[in-house]
């Protein structure tokens, strides 16, 4: 019970019939171009199927599409509900088929990448609808949209309006960050998150897999890292677990980008890898505590080489996130060997230079194994020399448009996260704030703005585990999803509210415990 | 006193209970076989730890078939030593509390064996009313959510049938929990309108009805006829002595706009003071409800707006700063001789980033200026989980373990205030809840 300073309009909204099958599309995110006609088509479980168009470059051998066809068939017809007998015939035209056609080389057995073509067109008319895309990635996006067009009328008949949709994303990098170090996330939770991401056309899972608190990644080359660094032996991701996540994601057109954050945020690495972290000093004596990774030892880079060599084979994506944020200099400052090294290198007392020295060597290692790098903004802010193409993730909230301008002016691609820290919960409809962000709202040229490749909604794990992850992520992250997929002019909050409430119920129906936006109910 | 005791060993003994079996089924769920350790943590001693095969529960007054009430005693003592292993309580409610504590005392060694330390506990609650408010109007909560929160509904109709209500009440009773129903009027009643035409006040724009409605119409006899019949039913469906009648946030705009009400106000000599009209309604409602032999709890506006209420009315304080700071409000209410329930600092639906449980924990309900007699009128408090942004998808993680902070504040002594000590226990307790 709140002081309802909302007044009469809000009360009226409460009385309005709530989120049932609304006329017109309730699509999320809103496609590039949608034309709907009032002409209705009906479809039934028994008489409808999804097929490969004979002219498609993909066919039944494409297991990614086969899996998707089955999945979306179940989403459309609510596999939970029992069907009783044949469909009720009426005068409406029946939709019997969705024919799927891939135009170019499908890329069916490949992994999605930053350059993947996710565009598609959807022509829904009786008796055959056509979904056309350049690659399988567009088919996946199109199937999701198609499933959102279908609704049940008050008789329960599966209905769809004749429509014509042309769609492609505004930004190619649309991600969710999960943190499995502050709290272990069971594989089931990660897979559920991937499902929800697909419903919202997200295409990157930024897996912040290890940090100070725990090291759940089971390395084959360095098994002690997780043996000693995980919360317990049951709080570990085996190579099989990782493979499961990567393939599950791939089948949904989602890239998995791991983050092995260093040189800070590495306390847990020291448990299983002796002499990796910098010993801190209390005057002349070691204090027994440790700081960031020790940047002055050859053994450090030997370890990192081997470690990232393994990572580069385990994770197929072109990019690896190297972190580089929030490096505390106090421990380095206290260590006499580090001080001596600084002197020798001519860094003086400027520890940013030592940090940059480390990062640059790490970037070199990573490029040796043919991966691109993503780093947090400190790496750029603190003047490390970055290889062209290194992606900078902007996360600090103070004046982030200024940071975006600086990074893009220097020619580096940007991933925006600063306004989208979903772990920062507050009372009320904070999704509206996420929705209102415009990623290109900074001072810069057209070329600079082209360098903003997208953004990520971050769900840091200090206060999040499997008990509350899903309602905390969804549907708030959906607001970010539309901001990153849909065009800049899609910003009407009222319309967004109407569509998002229905989309939220759709997610709930599909097994995602997305929390409510406001009062009301779901019609199932 | 007549004592009857039950051997409790984790297996339900047949025929020993002369109350309902249900009483013991609850007990069985929270018990374990125990072994007593000679010295806490003494590894060698464990080999020879005497085994306890039963916790004996002695209850002074039978009450297995009764409902808990505001006056129910919940005291108990727990004695675990070489010679004895028993839980002693005057009432079954105390036994339930003691069983919960007992279950929290049992621990497992790394080898997996169950242990309990020698223990002497004397326990009783500081406040008799320690409540949780659940809002099933802003979002329907399926029965499983409600029952899970307490310790066969129809998803399509979003209705709680009489059977559903019975289930909730009985489930609560078995856990010593009272179910206090709130039917909030005259405000917060828009949803009543469609089913009871003529109940709500039609709003006007000038001389024409706008088609929208406001609070319950206080000037019609039909209103009070309806309320009489409705609360007669409510009084029998909900067995607790108390009913919550709401009375908060009444928006006067619609009343002001209605010409019939304006005329009524003139006739009654209320002038332009709609608080008097509100009082008029509430007083009539209260006398209806008193006639059904029920006590009532109301939100603080009823007191703030000077409605004449019976001296045994309980006032619930929910507003943090207006009309005064809630501590001042507690002072005013108790000074006027009414019993008070504190909720203002415990709105758990107000979420923020970070561990807010400690602020919740550090609230001291008696931290206001008043005599000991006044302070004795504070019967407890309630953590509130309003439902605007809450349904079954997020209720449990939003409630727990933060409500645990309120629970300790209302049960334990005012001297138990160390946040560090609480943190240690609460993190463990949270994992227990998950288990």
């Amino acid at each position: 019970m709140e002081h309802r300073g909302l007044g009469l309009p809000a009360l009226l909204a409460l009385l309005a019939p709530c989120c049932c099958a609304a006329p017109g599309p309730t699509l999320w995110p809103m496609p590039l171009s949608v034309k709907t006609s009032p002409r209705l088509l009906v479809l039934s479980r028994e008489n409808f199927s999804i097929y490969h168009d004979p002219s498609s470059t993909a066919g039944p051998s494409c297991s990614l599409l086969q899996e998707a066809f089955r999945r979306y068939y179940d989403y459309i017809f609510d596999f939970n509900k029992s069907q009783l007998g044949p469909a009720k015939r009426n005068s409406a035209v029946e939709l019997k088929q969705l024919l799927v056609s891939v135009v170019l080389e499908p890329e069916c057995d490949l992994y999605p990448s930053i350059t993947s073509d996710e565009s598609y067109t959807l022509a829904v008319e009786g008796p055959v609808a056509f979904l056309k895309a350049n690659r399988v990635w567009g088919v996946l996006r199109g199937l999701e949209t198609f499933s959102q067009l279908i609704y049940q009328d008050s008789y329960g008949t599966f209905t769809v309006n004749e429509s014509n949709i042309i769609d492609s994303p505004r930004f190619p990098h649309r991600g969710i960050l999960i943190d499995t170090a502050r709290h272990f996330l069971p594989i089931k939770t990660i897979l559920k998150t991937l499902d929800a991401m697909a419903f919202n056309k997200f295409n990157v899972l930024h897996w912040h897999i290890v940090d100070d608190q725990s090291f759940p990644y089971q390395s084959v080359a360095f098994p002690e890292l997780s043996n000693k660094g995980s919360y317990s032996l049951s709080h570990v991701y085996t190579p099989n677990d990782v493979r499961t996540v990567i393939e599950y994601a791939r089948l949904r057109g989602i890239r998995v980008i791991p983050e092995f954050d260093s040189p800070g945020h590495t306390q847990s690495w020291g448990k299983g890898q002796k002499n990796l972290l910098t010993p801190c000093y209390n005057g002349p004596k070691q204090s027994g505590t440790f700081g960031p990774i020790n940047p002055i030892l050859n053994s450090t880079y030997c370890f990192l080489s081997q470690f990232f060599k393994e990572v580069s084979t385990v994770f197929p994506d072109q990019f690896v996130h190297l972190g580089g944020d929030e490096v505390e200099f106090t421990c380095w400052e206290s260590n006499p060997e580090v001080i001596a090294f600084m002197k020798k290198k001519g860094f003086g007392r400027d520890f940013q230079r030592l940090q940059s020295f480390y990062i640059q060597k790490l970037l070199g290692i990573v490029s040796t194994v043919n991966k691109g790098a993503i780093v947090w903004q400190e790496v750029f802010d603190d003047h490390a020399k970055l290889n062209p193409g290194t992606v900078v993730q902007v996360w600090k909230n103070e004046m982030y448009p200024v940071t975006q301008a600086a990074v893009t002016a220097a020619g580096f691609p940007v991933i925006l996260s600063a306004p989208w820290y979903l772990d920062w919960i507050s009372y009320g409809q904070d999704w509206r704030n996420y929705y209102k962000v415009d990623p290109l709202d900074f001072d810069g040229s057209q070329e600079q703005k082209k360098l903003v490749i997208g953004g990520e909604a971050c769900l840091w794990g200090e206060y999040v585990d499997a008990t509350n992850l899903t309602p905390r992520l969804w549907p708030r992250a959906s607001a970010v999803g539309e901001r990153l997929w849909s065009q800049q002019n899609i910003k009407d909050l009222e319309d967004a509210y109407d569509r998002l409430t229905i989309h939220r119920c759709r997610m709930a129906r599909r097994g995602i415990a997305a929390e409510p936006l406001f009062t009301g109910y779901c019609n199932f | 006193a007549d004592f009857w005791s039950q051997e409790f060993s984790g297996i339900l003994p047949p025929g020993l209970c002369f109350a309902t079996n249900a009483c013991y089924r609850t007990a069985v769920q929270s018990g374990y076989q125990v072994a007593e350790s000679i010295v806490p943590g003494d590894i060698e001693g464990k080999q020879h730890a005497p085994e306890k095969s039963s916790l004996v529960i002695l209850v002074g007054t039978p009450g297995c078939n009764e409902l808990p009430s505001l006056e129910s005693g919940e005291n108990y003592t727990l004695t675990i030593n070489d010679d004895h292993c028993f839980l002693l309580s005057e009432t079954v409610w105390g036994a339930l509390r003691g069983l919960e504590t007992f279950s929290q005392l049992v621990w497992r060694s790394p080898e997996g064996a169950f242990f309990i330390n020698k223990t002497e506990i004397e326990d009783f609650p500081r406040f008799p009313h320690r409540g949780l408010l659940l809002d099933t109007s802003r979002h329907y909560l399926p029965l499983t959510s409600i029952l899970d929160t307490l310790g066969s509904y129809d998803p399509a109709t979003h209705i709680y049938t009489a059977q559903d209500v019975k289930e909730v009440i009985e489930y609560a009773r078995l856990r010593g929990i009272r179910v206090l129903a709130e039917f909030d009027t005259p405000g917060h009643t828009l949803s009543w309108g469609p089913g009871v035409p003529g109940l709500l006040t039609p709003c006007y724009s000038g001389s024409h009805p706008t088609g929208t409605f406001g609070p319950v119409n206080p000037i019609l006899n039909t209103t009070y006829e309806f309320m009489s019949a409705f609360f007669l039913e409510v009084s029998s469906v909900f067995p607790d002595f108390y009913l919550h009648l709401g009375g908060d946030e009444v928006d006067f705009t619609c009343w002001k706009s209605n010409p019939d009400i304006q005329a009524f106000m003139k006739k009654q000599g209320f002038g332009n003071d709609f608080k008097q009209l509100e009082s008029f309604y509430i007083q009539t409602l209260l006398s209806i409800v008193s006639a059904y032999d029920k006590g009532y709890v109301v939100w603080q506006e009823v007191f703030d707006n000077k409605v004449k209420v019976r001296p045994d009315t309980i006032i619930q304080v929910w507003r943090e700063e207006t009309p005064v700071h809630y501590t001042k409000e507690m002072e005013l209410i108790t000074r006027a001789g009414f019993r008070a329930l504190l909720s203002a600092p415990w709105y758990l639906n107000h979420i923020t980033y970070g561990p807010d449980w400690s602020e919740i924990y550090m609230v001291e309900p008696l931290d206001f200026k008043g005599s000991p007699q006044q302070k004795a009128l504070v019967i407890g408090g309630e953590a509130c989980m309003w439902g605007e942004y809450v349904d079954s998808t997020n209720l449990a993680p939003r409630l727990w373990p933060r409500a645990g902070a309120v629970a300790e504040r209302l049960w334990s002594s005012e001297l138990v205030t160390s946040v560090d000590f609480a943190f240690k226990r609460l993190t463990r307790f949270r994992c227990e809840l998950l288990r």
Side-chain angles (χ1 to χ4, degrees):
Chain A
M1 154 179 83
E2 278 322 281
H3 216 27
R4 291 233 218 108
L6 297 171
L8 213 46
L11 296 181
L12 288 176
L14 285 176
L15 289 177
C18 211
C19 71
C20 305
T26 50
L27 302 173
W28 194 281
M30 181 58 84
L32 176 61
S33 146
V34 181
K35 292 199 185 76
T36 3
S37 118
R39 262 200 309 278
L40 298 178
L41 308 168
V42 296
L43 48 163
S44 78
R45 222 196 150 93
E46 295 76 36
N47 292 347
F48 176 80
S49 37
I50 307 176
Y51 285 129
H52 298 278
D53 189 308
S55 64
S56 174
T57 56
S61 63
C62 178
S63 58
L64 181 147
L65 288 184
Q66 297 298 101
E67 289 286 312
F69 290 178
R70 178 177 60 177
R71 199 162 65 237
Y72 277 97
Y73 180 83
D74 283 338
Y75 289 144
I76 291 166
F77 294 110
D78 256 332
F79 55 100
N80 292 318
K81 296 222 181 103
S82 56
Q83 312 291 319
L84 305 158
K88 182 171 192 238
R89 303 294 313 222
N90 58 23
S91 56
V93 177
E94 210 184 352
L95 182 65
K96 293 211 172 79
Q97 273 185 12
L98 174 68
L99 280 187
V100 175
S101 184
V102 183
V103 177
L104 304 176
E105 186 58 47
E107 296 183 351
C108 196
D109 297 317
L110 301 186
Y111 287 95
S113 75
I114 188 72
T115 53
S116 292
D117 187 339
E118 297 173 279
S119 63
Y120 67 91
T121 60
L122 196 49
V124 181
E125 50 199 30
V128 177
F130 290 93
L131 168 56
K132 208 162 167 190
N134 283 334
R135 315 281 187 186
V136 294
W137 320 116
V139 175
L140 291 174
R141 306 298 171 236
L143 281 170
E144 176 59 43
T145 302
F146 179 72
S147 75
Q148 295 188 5
L149 287 172
I150 298 165
Y151 60 93
Q152 285 179 277
D153 68 12
S154 34
Y155 296 95
T157 309
F158 294 100
T159 313
V160 63
N161 289 53
E162 278 192 0
S163 343
N164 234 293
I165 294 179
I166 303 171
D167 201 6
S168 61
R170 184 179 174 202
F171 294 103
H173 184 117
R174 306 176 307 281
I176 299 280
L177 180 152
I178 57 169
D179 169 359
T180 57
R182 276 56 180 270
H183 285 98
F184 184 80
L185 296 177
I187 291 293
K188 207 167 72 165
T189 304
I190 300 179
L191 300 186
K192 264 262 188 275
T193 301
L194 289 169
D195 279 331
M197 286 169 65
F199 301 152
N200 290 274
K201 297 192 169 73
F202 277 99
N203 64 358
V204 175
L205 178 70
H206 174 162
W207 191 349
H208 186 92
I209 188 168
V210 300
D211 204 300
D212 282 329
Q213 288 83 355
S214 77
F215 198 104
Y217 171 75
Q218 190 172 77
S219 162
V220 171
F222 300 98
E224 287 296 277
L225 285 171
S226 61
N227 279 346
K228 296 276 169 16
S230 63
Y231 279 139
S232 87
L233 291 185
S234 42
H235 294 92
V236 163
Y237 299 110
T238 62
N240 212 38
D241 290 330
V242 174
R243 269 193 290 272
T244 302
V245 169
I246 293 173
E247 180 60 7
Y248 199 89
R250 190 189 79 84
L251 291 177
R252 287 153 180 77
I254 297 172
R255 301 163 56 198
V256 177
I257 299 181
E259 177 184 346
F260 289 95
D261 192 353
S262 73
H265 286 280
T266 44
Q267 289 297 298
S268 66
W269 299 53
K271 305 259 161 64
Q273 186 71 15
K274 296 298 164 211
N275 302 323
L276 179 66
L277 304 183
T278 314
C280 310
Y281 277 70
N282 226 335
K285 279 204 299 222
Q286 291 197 8
S287 67
T289 59
F290 298 89
I293 288 186
N294 196 333
I296 74 173
L297 302 175
N298 286 333
S299 54
T300 292
Y301 302 103
C302 189
F303 163 78
L304 291 172
S305 276
Q306 281 183 270
F307 184 75
F308 278 95
K309 183 142 188 245
E310 175 185 303
V311 166
S312 70
T313 56
V314 169
F315 292 93
D317 196 83
Q318 255 307 96
F319 284 85
V320 156
H321 201 303
L322 303 177
D325 61 309
E326 297 182 312
V327 184
E328 280 273 336
F329 292 153
T330 8
C331 186
W332 283 351
E333 277 174 317
S334 76
N335 183 305
E337 286 164 38
V338 172
I339 300 289
F341 182 85
M342 297 269 291
K343 195 176 261 175
K344 201 173 77 182
K345 284 291 194 184
F347 292 160
R349 299 288 299 184
D350 188 356
F351 286 89
Q352 282 188 4
R353 296 183 66 180
L354 182 61
Q355 183 189 279
S356 297
F357 170 81
Y358 169 86
I359 290 281
Q360 277 154 216
K361 289 197 81 150
L362 181 58
L363 286 172
I365 287 171
V366 161
S367 80
T368 310
V369 291
N370 278 321
K371 295 287 191 189
I374 308 178
V375 291
W376 294 110
Q377 70 180 76
E378 283 95 319
V379 172
F380 171 84
D381 293 340
D382 298 347
H383 317 294
K385 265 195 272 294
L386 303 177
N387 308 332
T390 305
V391 181
V392 177
Q393 189 161 5
V394 175
W395 70 272
K396 292 184 167 183
N397 209 274
E398 315 93 62
M399 306 205 293
Y400 67 85
V402 174
T403 312
Q404 284 181 280
V407 175
T408 52
F412 297 105
V414 161
I415 293 171
L416 182 63
S417 281
W420 291 325
Y421 263 38
L422 300 199
D423 56 318
W424 286 2
I425 57 172
S426 56
Y427 181 70
Q429 295 193 42
D430 56 357
W431 71 273
R432 292 170 184 263
N433 299 334
Y434 304 142
Y435 193 77
K436 285 192 235 172
V437 172
D438 188 341
L440 300 187
D441 193 10
F442 63 92
D443 286 323
S445 65
Q446 279 296 83
E447 282 68 45
Q448 274 177 265
K449 307 227 166 167
K450 285 209 192 90
L451 286 172
V452 178
I453 60 173
E456 288 184 1
C458 299
L459 194 67
W460 294 103
E462 284 86 348
Y463 303 101
V464 174
D465 71 5
T467 60
N468 61 355
L469 180 139
T470 302
R472 192 160 291 195
L473 243 192
W474 312 102
R476 293 190 308 142
S478 303
V480 182
E482 176 152 301
R483 184 48 54 230
L484 292 173
W485 177 280
S486 306
Q487 293 307 294
Q488 187 174 25
N489 63 339
I490 306 293
K491 35 189 203 182
D492 181 338
L493 276 169
E494 298 281 306
D495 181 62
Y497 177 84
D498 290 337
R499 286 183 295 114
L500 190 52
T501 39
I502 296 182
H503 184 60
R504 176 257 167 174
C505 288
R506 179 163 44 220
M507 288 197 276
R509 200 166 60 232
R510 294 183 184 180
I512 304 295
E515 64 176 17
L517 287 184
F518 193 51
T519 56
Y521 66 99
C522 289
N523 209 15
F524 63 89
Chain B
D2 263 280
F3 282 91
W4 48 267
S5 73
Q6 298 300 333
E7 290 279 315
F8 169 77
S9 61
I11 304 161
L12 187 64
L16 277 178
C17 180
F18 47 72
T20 59
N21 279 338
C23 194
Y24 292 85
R25 239 170 264 136
T26 321
V28 167
Q29 273 150 30
S30 46
Y32 304 91
Q33 298 248 277
V34 295
E36 184 195 270
S37 73
I38 294 171
V39 175
D42 175 358
I43 298 168
E44 293 85 64
K46 276 182 199 160
Q47 299 280 77
H48 309 285
E51 200 178 308
K52 289 289 187 193
S53 63
S54 46
L55 171 73
V56 176
I57 304 177
L58 292 108
V59 178
T61 319
C64 233
N65 282 333
E66 295 177 5
L67 286 146
S69 75
L70 182 59
E71 292 72 36
S72 296
E74 295 173 280
N75 306 27
Y76 67 91
T77 59
L78 205 46
T79 309
I80 319 279
N81 57 39
D82 287 322
D83 305 309
H84 302 109
C85 187
F86 61 74
L87 162 60
L88 192 64
S89 162
E90 185 59 36
T91 64
V92 291
W93 318 116
L96 285 175
R97 306 299 171 234
L99 274 170
E100 174 58 39
T101 302
F102 179 76
S103 74
Q104 295 187 14
L105 289 170
V106 177
W107 53 276
R108 291 183 89 162
S109 68
E111 299 77 28
F114 291 100
F115 286 91
I116 190 168
N117 290 50
K118 266 194 218 176
T119 314
E120 276 279 344
I121 291 182
E122 257 187 65
D123 200 7
F124 58 91
R126 185 179 173 202
F127 293 103
H129 185 121
R130 306 175 303 283
L132 183 63
L133 180 151
L134 280 189
D135 170 2
T136 56
S137 162
R138 273 56 177 269
H139 287 100
Y140 183 85
L141 294 178
L143 235 47
T144 42
S145 287
I146 299 177
L147 300 182
D148 285 347
T149 302
L150 287 177
S152 185
Y153 87 110
D154 189 339
T157 59
H158 295 94
I159 283 176
Y160 301 108
T161 62
Q163 184 53 38
D164 294 333
V165 173
K166 273 209 193 95
E167 242 186 271
V168 171
I169 293 174
E170 177 63 5
Y171 197 94
R173 189 188 78 84
L174 293 177
R175 286 152 182 74
I177 298 171
R178 300 164 50 206
V179 176
L180 178 61
E182 177 183 349
F183 288 95
D184 192 353
T185 68
H188 284 283
T189 43
L190 278 181
S191 68
W192 299 51
V196 188
L199 180 68
L200 303 182
T201 310
C203 311
Y204 276 67
S205 188
S207 52
H208 300 293
T210 60
T212 60
F213 298 91
V216 168
N217 194 332
I219 72 175
L220 302 175
N221 285 335
T222 47
T223 292
Y224 301 106
E225 278 154 30
F226 167 80
M227 290 300 172
S228 281
F230 183 75
F231 278 97
L232 174 61
E233 175 184 311
V234 166
S235 302
S236 59
V237 168
F238 293 91
D240 195 84
F241 176 68
Y242 290 91
L243 282 179
H244 199 306
L245 301 178
D248 63 307
E249 294 185 307
V250 184
D251 187 345
F252 295 149
T253 349
C254 186
W255 281 352
K256 270 200 188 105
S257 75
N258 184 303
D260 297 325
I261 292 196
Q262 288 159 15
F264 182 86
M265 293 277 285
K266 197 175 262 173
K267 202 174 79 181
Q268 295 282 326
F270 292 159
N272 237 348
D273 187 4
F274 284 85
K275 286 194 183 159
Q276 295 198 44
L277 182 59
E278 184 192 356
S279 282
F280 172 83
Y281 169 83
I282 298 266
Q283 267 152 222
T284 320
L285 178 66
L286 294 185
S287 49
I288 290 172
V289 171
S290 321
Y292 298 138
D293 210 22
K294 288 289 194 191
Y296 37 79
V297 185
V298 289
W299 296 109
Q300 67 179 78
E301 284 95 322
V302 173
F303 170 81
D304 295 339
N305 295 348
K306 306 196 184 357
V307 178
K308 265 195 270 301
V309 297
R310 277 199 331 207
D312 64 350
T313 308
I314 299 174
I315 318 274
Q316 191 164 4
V317 177
W318 70 272
R319 310 187 75 180
E320 285 206 85
E321 300 282 328
T322 41
V324 292
H325 190 263
Y326 72 82
T327 46
K328 183 77 186 162
E329 182 77 10
M330 298 286 278
E331 186 195 321
L332 295 172
I333 289 171
T334 52
R335 200 193 301 160
F338 295 106
R339 287 174 297 170
L341 271 181
L342 181 61
S343 281
W346 290 330
Y347 263 39
L348 299 192
N349 54 315
H350 283 165
I351 54 171
T352 51
Y353 179 72
D356 57 352
W357 72 271
S358 49
E359 280 122 59
I360 292 169
Y361 187 74
M362 293 195 286
V363 170
E364 172 39 63
L366 299 187
D367 193 14
F368 61 90
K369 283 204 260 299
S371 65
Q373 288 79 13
Q374 267 177 269
K375 308 234 168 163
L377 289 174
V378 178
I379 58 170
E382 289 188 354
C384 295
M385 183 52 72
W386 294 102
E388 283 85 348
Y389 304 102
V390 174
D391 72 3
S392 58
T393 60
N394 61 354
L395 172 70
R398 194 161 292 195
L399 246 192
W400 311 106
R402 294 191 303 144
V406 182
E408 177 152 301
R409 183 50 52 232
L410 291 173
W411 178 282
S412 306
S413 146
E414 64 189 281
L415 302 171
V416 181
T417 52
S418 157
V419 169
D420 290 329
F421 182 47
F423 178 79
K424 289 198 184 79
R425 288 177 295 114
L426 193 55
T427 33
R428 281 266 197 88
F429 182 62
R430 176 250 174 180
C431 288
E432 274 304 301
L433 283 180
L434 287 183
R435 208 167 57 80

